């Protein structure tokens, strides 16, 4: 069914029969057919599945029965949703972005009713993994933070195959993202919808388009900069930026924006790093470019007297290529930290991160990091990645097939069997 075609039952709540199984409610998810196809798979196994549309974009990506529109104000949402939970006997809710304005009250209401909460997002492991986790991600994750528990969990898990199996499509992701957010700007039929976006979509898309046009040139410049600084033979450190639209910045750190995190890192680097060391500040490859980060980084470095020791890396240079040359990685709570730990590089999260574990991430603070931080313990790093893959992930991606089919199959299997936050024999086999 074409994405723009209205799915049956979208405007009203059908009286679905109650099969012998659980009763799932899907809220906002990936801008993809992923949720609709997972729901179809669960129905085929005897479960019931509904969806509440909050905006026109939600409608476009739910192709199937069970859809209900919420057209009220955000203040009316808890009463509407609580009544929906009770009327339909909901046992599980599934969503992406547990900190979104509509999802926080949804989770609170669910927990008060002992309704299971499942969250999904791009994987902690990249590129072709999808997270499926109970209750929340990052700081809300139930994944253990104790080294001994992680090692014990890993002992029950198979070694993961970290090779890339499914290449996702950025072009499809961008096209569906534009379709979703521009459709959701229309005042009808959802006049009171409040978007979770930090930036208005039209300026963000224009800026992203310009950045994509310049990406090749910026990547080449970043590669030249990296070649130059590595040839100097001095200690290199990396600050891995995140997108400011990432809810984990606002919800799971003390920083209101990336400028603050960069400024704190550069100030500490200026005071405490070896005088010959250099700091590489790498932009997120999907950053929309609404801020002139190269200029901002130069201004921050100059303000702290290290203009000649801080280098900006734009474009889309592979992160592994940068980490391989660095003694340490600093980030707020990016999944780059997982990659850095897996590569044996000293890592410091400034926010709340799932990998902020003694023996994995540096625990001694930012000022001491530059001279004292040791690499992660190799056996613990291996155990962490092994347990993470088997407990919290399915293989696949959101935007292109066959990776989408694989992710849907893996999610259906985990939800059907109730095997969230526990290891399975083989994530690849479950997703097959």
């Amino acid at each position: 069914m074409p994405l723009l075609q209205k799915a049956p039952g979208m405007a009203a709540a059908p009286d679905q029969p109650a099969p012998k199984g659980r009763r799932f409610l899907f809220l906002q998810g990936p801008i993809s057919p992923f949720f609709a196809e997972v729901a179809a798979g669960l129905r085929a196994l005897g479960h019931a599945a509904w969806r509440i549309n909050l905006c026109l974009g939600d409608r476009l990506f739910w192709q199937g029965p069970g859809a209900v529109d919420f057209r009220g104000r955000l203040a009316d949402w808890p009463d509407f949703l609580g009544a929906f939970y009770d009327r339909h006997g909901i046992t599980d809710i599934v969503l992406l972005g547990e900190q979104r304005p509509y999802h926080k009250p949804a989770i609170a209401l669910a927990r008060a009713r002992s309704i299971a909460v499942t969250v999904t997002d791009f994987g902690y492991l990249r590129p072709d993994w999808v997270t499926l986790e109970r209750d929340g991600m990052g700081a809300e994750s139930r994944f253990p933070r104790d080294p001994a528990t992680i090692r014990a969990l890993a002992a029950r898990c198979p070694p993961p195959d970290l090779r890339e199996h499914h290449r996702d499509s950025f072009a499809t992701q961008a096209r569906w993202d534009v379709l979703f957010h521009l459709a959701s700007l229309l005042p009808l039929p959802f006049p009171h919808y409040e978007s979770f976006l930090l930036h208005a979509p039209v300026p963000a898309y224009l800026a992203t388009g310009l950045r994509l046009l310049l990406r090749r040139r910026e990547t080449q410049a970043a590669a030249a900069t990296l070649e130059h600084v590595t040839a100097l033979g001095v200690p290199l450190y990396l600050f891995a930026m995140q997108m400011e639209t990432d809810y984990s910045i606002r919800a799971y750190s003390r920083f209101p924006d990336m400028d603050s995190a960069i400024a704190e890192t550069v100030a500490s680097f200026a005071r405490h790093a070896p005088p010959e060391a250099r700091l590489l500040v790498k932009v997120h490859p999907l950053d929309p470019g609404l801020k002139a980060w190269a200029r901002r980084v130069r201004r921050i470095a100059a303000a702290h007297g290290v203009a000649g020791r801080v280098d900006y890396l734009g474009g889309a240079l592979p992160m592994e290529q940068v980490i391989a040359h660095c003694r340490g990685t600093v980030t707020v709570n990016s999944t780059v930290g997982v990659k850095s730990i897996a590569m044996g590089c000293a890592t410091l999260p400034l926010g709340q991160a799932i990998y902020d574990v003694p023996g994995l991430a540096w625990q001694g603070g930012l000022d001491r990091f530059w001279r004292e931080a040791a690499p992660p313990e190799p056996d613990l790093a291996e155990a962490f990645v092994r347990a993470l893959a088997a407990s919290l992930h399915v293989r696949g991606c959101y935007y292109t097939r066959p990776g989408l089919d694989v992710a849907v199959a893996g999610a259906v299997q985990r939800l059907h069997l109730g095997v969230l936050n526990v290891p399975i024999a083989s994530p690849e086999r479950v997703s097959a």
Side-chain angles (χ1 to χ4, degrees):
M1 182 180 294
L3 281 175
L4 288 175
Q5 183 174 340
K6 181 180 177 183
M10 277 192 170
D15 293 326
Q16 258 183 273
K20 293 180 180 179
R22 301 205 303 282
R23 303 170 73 80
F24 289 87
L25 173 63
F26 290 81
L27 300 178
Q28 286 190 320
I31 301 174
S32 156
F34 179 72
F35 268 11
E37 294 183 13
V38 170
L42 290 170
R43 288 193 202 96
L45 292 170
H47 304 285
W50 286 267
R51 157 69 162 235
I52 298 179
N53 294 320
L54 301 174
C55 60
L56 185 56
D58 286 342
R59 273 194 185 184
L60 299 179
F61 287 90
W62 183 269
Q63 307 298 323
V68 182
D69 290 342
F70 172 70
R71 303 182 186 181
R73 300 181 185 277
L74 183 57
D76 304 323
W77 171 243
D79 288 341
F80 174 91
L81 187 60
F84 191 97
Y85 285 165
D86 298 338
R87 183 169 64 253
H88 295 285
I90 299 301
T91 62
D92 297 74
I93 63 170
V94 189
L95 53 89
L96 184 152
E98 70 268 19
Q99 294 295 327
R100 291 182 184 180
Y102 292 90
H103 289 170
K104 290 179 73 173
I107 291 172
L109 290 166
R111 287 175 177 167
R113 290 164 169 78
S114 298
I115 295 171
V117 178
T118 298
V119 299
T120 188
D121 208 331
F122 294 106
Y124 296 109
L125 304 173
R126 303 289 172 94
D128 56 340
W129 297 79
V130 168
T131 300
L132 209 67
E133 188 167 4
R134 183 69 74 206
D135 286 341
M137 297 181 64
E140 296 289 329
S141 175
R142 291 187 179 189
F143 192 79
R145 303 304 203 273
D146 172 65
T149 307
I150 292 172
R151 288 187 172 99
L153 178 61
R156 301 161 48 200
C157 302
D161 179 359
L162 298 178
R163 295 172 300 170
E164 182 178 359
H165 288 241
H166 309 284
R167 187 173 292 268
D168 218 342
S169 170
F170 174 73
T172 300
Q173 179 183 356
R175 186 167 62 252
W176 286 353
D177 190 270
V178 170
L179 176 64
F180 178 94
H181 289 296
L182 293 186
S184 300
L185 289 176
L186 298 175
L188 294 175
F190 298 88
H192 306 298
Y193 173 63
E194 295 185 24
S195 173
F196 57 87
L197 292 178
L198 183 64
H199 304 299
V202 173
Y205 292 142
L206 292 175
T208 300
L210 177 60
R211 186 157 184 259
L212 289 174
L213 291 174
L214 300 175
R215 172 179 282 189
R216 183 175 180 181
R217 187 176 73 184
E218 290 182 351
T219 302
Q220 290 173 342
T225 298
L226 182 62
E227 182 179 6
H228 168 71
V229 296
T230 54
L232 298 176
V234 300
L236 299 178
Y237 296 89
L238 168 67
F239 180 86
M241 292 175 57
Q242 292 164 251
M243 294 175 65
E244 287 190 324
T245 52
D246 186 342
Y247 256 98
S248 71
I249 299 292
R250 287 170 274 173
Y252 302 137
S253 85
R254 64 184 185 279
F255 302 108
D257 50 36
M258 286 309 302
D259 300 77
S260 304
I262 294 170
E264 181 174 309
T265 302
V266 171
S268 175
F269 176 82
R271 293 192 307 266
H272 299 285
E276 71 277 13
R278 296 178 80 105
L279 177 65
L280 306 174
V281 179
K282 187 180 185 306
V283 73
H284 191 285
L286 298 181
D287 186 272
L290 287 169
K291 291 184 175 180
W293 286 116
R295 187 183 312 129
R296 286 169 180 259
V297 169
R298 285 195 299 268
R299 186 167 63 241
I300 291 170
H304 293 282
V306 286
R309 296 171 54 204
V310 176
D311 299 280
Y312 172 78
L313 301 180
L317 203 62
M319 190 61 73
E320 297 88 344
Q321 188 175 335
V322 182
I323 294 172
H325 296 287
C326 292
R327 289 192 181 181
T329 298
V330 179
T331 187
V332 177
N333 44 34
S334 169
T335 56
V336 168
V338 176
K339 190 179 296 291
S340 178
I341 287 168
M343 293 179 64
C345 186
T347 304
L348 172 63
L350 299 177
Q352 298 168 293
I354 194 171
Y355 49 84
D356 192 6
V357 175
L360 288 179
W362 170 248
Q363 304 293 302
L366 183 59
D367 290 348
R368 292 171 53 200
F369 177 79
W370 314 107
R371 293 178 182 269
E372 301 179 32
E377 298 173 19
D379 67 315
L380 181 58
E382 191 276 335
F384 173 74
V385 173
R386 179 186 290 235
L388 202 65
S391 301
L392 305 185
H393 288 80
V394 295
R395 205 69 192 243
C397 52
Y398 291 136
Y399 302 107
T400 190
R401 302 184 196 277
L404 176 60
D405 297 327
V406 170
V408 168
V412 168
Q413 189 84 336
R414 275 200 180 269
L415 291 169
H416 172 62
L417 298 176
V419 286
L420 274 75
N421 291 62
V422 294
I424 53 179
S426 170
E428 288 81 7
R429 190 182 307 159
V430 167
S431 300

